[in-house]
Amino acid sequence: MSEIEAVNDVITVERAGPVALVCIDNPPVNAAGHAVRDGLTTAIAALEADMDVRAIALYAAGRTFIAGADIREFGRPPEDPWLPAVCNALEACAKPVVAVLHGTTLGGGLEVALGCHYRIGVPGLKVGLPEVTLGILPGAGGTQRAPRLAGIAFALEMITSGRQVPAEEALEAGLIDEIREGEPRDIALAAGAEALEGRIETRRTGTLEVAPDDAAIAEMRARMARRHPLLFSPHKCVDAVAACTKPIEEGLAIERALYEECQASPQRAGLVHAFFAERAVAKVPEAAHAAREIGRVGVIGAGTMGSGIATALLLAGCPVTLAEVNPEALARGRGTVEKNLAGAVTRGKLTEAGRDEALARLETATDLSALADADLVVEAAFEEMGVKTEIFGTLDRVLKPGAVMATNTSYLDIDEIAAATSRPEDVLGLHFFSPAHVMKLLEVVVAAKTAPEVAATGFALGKTLRKVAVRSGVCDGFIGNRIMQHYRKAADHMLLDGADFDRIDAALEAFGFAMGPFRVQDLAGLDIGWTYRKRHAATRPPEERYVAIGDRLCQEGWFGRKAGRGYYLHEDGDTRPNPDAQAIVAGERARAGIAPRSFTDEEIVARYMAAMIAEAARVVEDGTALRPIDVDAVLLFGYGFPRFRGGPMHYADSVGLPELVRRIEGYAAQDAHFWQVPPLLRKLADEDGRFADLNS
Ligand code: CAA
């Protein structure tokens, strides 16, 4: 007979003769928040003192063993007991302590396990120390105990990459001692008995010798310097692991000091914000509605975008019908899908059998009537209203009742597209980003008449595709492209005023953007922006400052990388500023009567960010985005915004809103049309508020 006693709300102890089972039950992921730490400490102390108990086994209820420290507690004053003390108490326990791990045993969860004396993994287990992705390092002994079990080189790779290691690999490396089938509780019960009978060999990780490996440390230091010159914590991770050849107490003290430096870093705050942004965007009003069932998906248009969307759907297991009127274009599109899937095989994301199955799910058609049985259709045809309304009119006739009709338009008015059908409630925008099978962002654009369950279906599809789906209202460019158009203008203004395009790119890349705005345009194709500007020429306010440099490049046919030249020359994999583009810049400056002035990198970044934040504030103010954190997610997952800075709204809060207002007012002295303080920004600044206040 066993008895179960609750230590607190999240920890129970079950006594089965001389074996005590400690169960952690803190849904959803058993994060090691204060109650878990406190409960474990109390339980271990009590069991150690209990003469009837001779072995202890830890396991967890629900989908996973502890998936890490409770990230929501970061940045708050720490509450005793800390996780390192819990791990040290487990290791010091005089009785054998076994841990049974399942699910995703990550971060502080793995550190708890490393503090135990024997580790059993349930098949399917993944372990990892992903702290580096949150701007910190494993601060509860992970940098000292992982190398003692798996060696310095393995621990360094695992800790600096944050990757999840499958059970088999963890076993081979020595991080866990065995893999055993069964329910975690049953395994814990059996293993506890085996431990006390000496049938499994328990030992304290901290007492193990670790072979020095200076070469691995030097190599990793060099790799981190190359790969992450702007990041703080990867370098601290290496420093912490390097201390593991010292006696364990000394190593743990060094780890703690480095951990605290990381916790205090603004990068930690930015990366944790990005972690929550990725999840917060799913909390939309329509989430309460049941999504429609999605089986076969139709994709219209076999260009780069349509083929990319089809690839993303196939990779997620959906059957797809790719439709394109032009048979040659359709054949090319199919070829692109095949190439994309082959790339996934090369990158190890897909097996060859998986590729064959994906291709077997792909059908092609030159007639939209082939989409009659589709549950959802994504139109990715030419970006022109007439083309779109014609397609939607046809879809209205051929699609079955209840089918969801999505347009992948980047800028066009979805209400107008929906009006071309007799069922506008079934129409929404699903705005993918190129390459659609790689980029994580998906804007789910909810039009005036979109039914809530249709919006919910858009989010469900986003989840199937493992994308970060963000809700946007209808406007010119939705959340992302609308903000981008604005900050690109700020970059163009600086270019005309004297900052060279390569200098602007370099300053923004040093700030952390994956690419500067001119390099991005070269990559995407300068003709895209040109088409946009031509479409807006008639409605452009006369007082708007217009920079025609991009137009001049396009008039020469210099569309960027695909043409071999744009702002840059793209030759043999090499990129350098295009002297002809520089001449065009000089000519435009002269034509406008501008004496070029110099800009510091700080000024370039400040103006660019002020423009981004100003338009982002308007996007929140007019309800296009639900909350500031949605804007952050869009820029982070679709526009190469540096993750460690958390997104433009988080960054704005870190700069200080009154300071931003002052900057914009200063710039307005030169261009009052472009630089206007958004009322929301002014209001928050006046009230000493932050954008973060609007996130809940
Ligand atoms: N702390 C607090 N909340 C967490 C959390 C954590 N460590 N991990 C997940 N959650 C929350 C999520 O925010 C989400 O909440 P909402 O439903 O309110 O949005 C919920 O748990 C479910 O998470 P997911 O939607 O991500 O679920 P999933 O099944 O897709 O993934 C997971 C599960 C793999 C555990 C994933 O959540 C994850 O990677 N979590 C973070 C793991 C991590 O980084 N751990 C290290 C923490 S740092 C640390 O441990 C420091 C130290 O050394 C002391």
Side-chain angles (χ1 to χ4, degrees):
M1 268 294 283
S2 63
E3 41 169 306
I4 299 179
E5 175 196 332
V7 178
N8 60 16
D9 286 350
V10 294
I11 303 290
T12 55
V13 170
E14 180 182 355
R15 284 156 210 269
V19 176
L21 306 182
V22 179
C23 176
I24 302 142
D25 189 2
N26 183 29
V29 297
N30 288 316
H34 180 254
V36 168
R37 302 195 305 271
D38 196 43
L40 281 178
T41 307
T42 309
I44 298 302
L47 295 173
E48 197 161 19
D50 187 334
M51 301 304 283
D52 294 335
V53 171
R54 289 170 44 220
I56 301 167
L58 255 57
Y59 74 99
R63 66 210 236 203
T64 183
F65 191 75
I66 301 171
D70 189 332
I71 302 170
R72 290 165 306 183
E73 291 180 358
F74 287 10
R76 295 197 214 143
E79 257 188 289
D80 271 340
W82 290 11
L83 201 58
V86 177
C87 298
N88 294 344
L90 284 164
E91 183 164 88
C93 184
K95 298 169 184 176
V97 186
V98 177
V100 179
L101 315 178
H102 75 288
T104 42
T105 298
L106 304 176
L110 181 57
E111 292 178 297
V112 164
L114 298 179
C116 296
H117 307 161
Y118 192 87
R119 286 154 293 280
I120 301 175
V122 175
L125 166 75
K126 288 194 175 143
V127 300
L129 293 168
E131 285 85 347
V132 73
T133 62
L134 299 169
I136 55 171
L137 53 83
T143 66
Q144 305 304 299
R145 293 191 178 102
R148 278 175 164 77
L149 290 167
I152 288 179
F154 189 91
L156 274 174
E157 190 279 326
M158 183 178 171
I159 291 170
T160 55
S161 70
R163 86 181 161 97
Q164 293 186 7
V165 177
E168 296 71 20
E169 192 185 344
L171 176 65
E172 202 183 311
L175 280 176
I176 61 173
D177 298 292
E178 61 170 286
I179 298 176
R180 204 185 281 193
E181 298 264 359
E183 287 302 314
R185 182 195 163 276
D186 299 342
I187 300 173
L189 184 60
E194 290 161 28
L196 73 86
E197 288 159 14
R199 283 191 283 136
I200 55 177
E201 194 190 331
T202 55
R203 73 271 188 242
R204 290 184 179 77
T205 313
T207 62
L208 302 176
E209 286 289 314
V210 57
D213 193 343
D214 292 347
I217 290 168
E219 198 276 317
M220 192 55 84
R221 261 196 227 295
R223 195 195 298 179
M224 291 301 110
R226 248 185 354 260
R227 284 200 191 157
H228 304 298
L230 299 178
L231 292 184
F232 187 74
S233 74
H235 312 283
K236 302 292 166 186
C237 288
V238 182
D239 292 347
V241 174
C244 75
T245 47
K246 296 180 190 296
I248 185 94
E249 297 74 20
E250 237 178 275
L252 288 174
I254 292 172
E255 176 194 84
R256 179 96 313 237
L258 293 166
Y259 176 82
E260 277 163 15
E261 278 184 48
C262 292
Q263 272 287 359
S265 136
Q267 293 196 355
R268 189 272 304 155
L271 288 163
V272 167
H273 182 78
F275 174 87
F276 284 119
E278 191 170 345
R279 288 154 179 85
V281 292
K283 293 175 180 125
V284 295
E286 292 84 1
H289 293 260
R292 291 186 188 162
E293 263 324 289
I294 298 300
R296 181 158 287 275
V297 180
V299 178
I300 302 173
T304 311
M305 206 63 209
S307 313
I309 295 169
T311 309
L313 289 159
L314 291 169
L315 283 170
C318 300
V320 175
T321 304
L322 181 61
E324 161 73 57
V325 276
N326 177 332
E328 287 86 47
L330 183 60
R332 269 199 307 279
R334 195 188 161 90
T336 308
V337 172
E338 284 168 5
K339 207 172 90 219
N340 292 343
L341 292 175
V345 173
T346 313
R347 288 196 308 278
K349 303 250 178 233
L350 187 68
T351 61
E352 295 202 354
R355 177 204 51 204
D356 295 345
E357 284 164 26
L359 282 173
R361 285 193 293 275
L362 176 65
E363 287 177 8
T364 54
T366 51
D367 191 330
L368 294 189
S369 61
L371 303 178
D373 65 340
D375 301 294
L376 183 147
V377 172
V378 186
E379 166 277 316
F382 193 63
E383 185 77 344
E384 209 177 271
M385 186 54 88
V387 175
K388 308 266 187 203
T389 49
E390 194 186 324
I391 290 175
F392 273 75
T394 310
L395 287 179
D396 193 20
R397 286 193 300 280
V398 302
L399 293 191
K400 66 185 179 190
V404 173
M405 293 184 254
T407 171
N408 178 53
T409 180
S410 307
Y411 289 99
L412 300 178
D413 181 350
I414 300 179
D415 291 327
E416 196 177 332
I417 296 173
T421 74
S422 65
R423 30 179 160 162
E425 66 280 4
D426 291 338
V427 177
L428 84 167
L430 288 178
H431 184 211
F432 290 81
F433 290 75
S434 190
H437 59 296
V438 176
M439 294 293 289
K440 283 199 80 177
L441 180 64
L442 174 69
E443 282 179 323
V444 177
V445 188
V446 181
K449 295 193 175 159
T450 307
E453 69 272 17
V454 170
T457 310
F459 278 93
L461 185 73
K463 197 164 182 187
T464 306
L465 299 177
R466 301 229 194 120
K467 302 232 178 262
V468 179
V470 181
R471 188 189 193 284
S472 172
V474 173
C475 68
D476 187 14
F478 316 124
I479 298 175
N481 281 351
R482 172 172 154 192
I483 296 171
M484 181 191 73
Q485 287 303 338
H486 198 70
Y487 64 73
R488 274 204 186 151
K489 282 183 191 163
D492 278 347
H493 295 168
M494 289 190 276
L495 175 60
L496 196 64
D497 288 338
D500 292 333
F501 52 82
D502 50 328
R503 175 74 193 281
I504 295 174
D505 281 345
L508 291 162
E509 285 158 18
F511 177 77
F513 278 96
M515 266 189 225
F518 298 101
R519 216 182 288 283
V520 171
Q521 290 179 75
D522 259 20
L523 187 67
L526 294 179
D527 47 325
I528 297 177
W530 194 29
T531 310
Y532 174 85
R533 291 191 296 275
K534 282 193 280 195
R535 197 167 53 235
H536 286 75
T539 52
R540 195 164 40 239
E543 62 275 29
E544 181 174 315
R545 195 171 176 210
Y546 190 71
V547 180
I549 295 166
D551 299 353
R552 300 271 176 276
L553 292 170
C554 288
Q555 281 155 5
E556 299 292 336
W558 300 338
F559 293 148
R561 194 156 87 171
K562 63 187 169 192
R565 58 177 55 204
Y567 286 100
Y568 296 87
L569 293 178
H570 305 267
E571 288 161 348
D572 311 323
D574 191 38
T575 304
R576 61 194 164 85
N578 177 0
D580 294 329
Q582 289 168 324
I584 286 177
V585 170
E588 285 300 308
R589 285 175 183 160
R591 205 165 65 87
I594 288 170
R597 72 169 179 94
S598 67
F599 285 76
T600 62
D601 286 359
E602 292 71 34
E603 189 177 1
I604 290 170
V605 170
R607 283 178 176 258
Y608 192 76
M609 288 308 304
M612 188 183 296
I613 291 161
E615 193 60 18
R618 290 181 200 111
V619 158
V620 173
E621 193 166 15
D622 68 17
T624 301
L626 284 179
R627 300 150 295 210
I629 202 165
D630 294 74
V631 174
D632 284 337
V634 166
L635 271 294
L636 285 167
F637 297 103
Y639 293 82
F641 193 95
R643 192 175 165 100
F644 68 86
R645 297 194 191 271
M649 306 314 254
H650 178 84
Y651 177 74
D653 283 343
S654 73
V655 170
L657 304 191
E659 168 62 19
L660 279 161
V661 169
R662 265 193 301 280
R663 286 184 194 172
I664 295 175
E665 285 174 343
Y667 305 148
Q670 293 146 18
D671 182 352
H673 175 75
F674 183 78
W675 292 106
Q676 294 177 22
V677 178
L680 176 66
L681 174 57
R682 190 179 296 283
K683 179 170 174 287
L684 285 172
D686 288 349
E687 292 170 355
D688 208 15
R690 299 172 340 131
F691 283 116
D693 303 337
L694 307 179
N695 283 335
S696 45

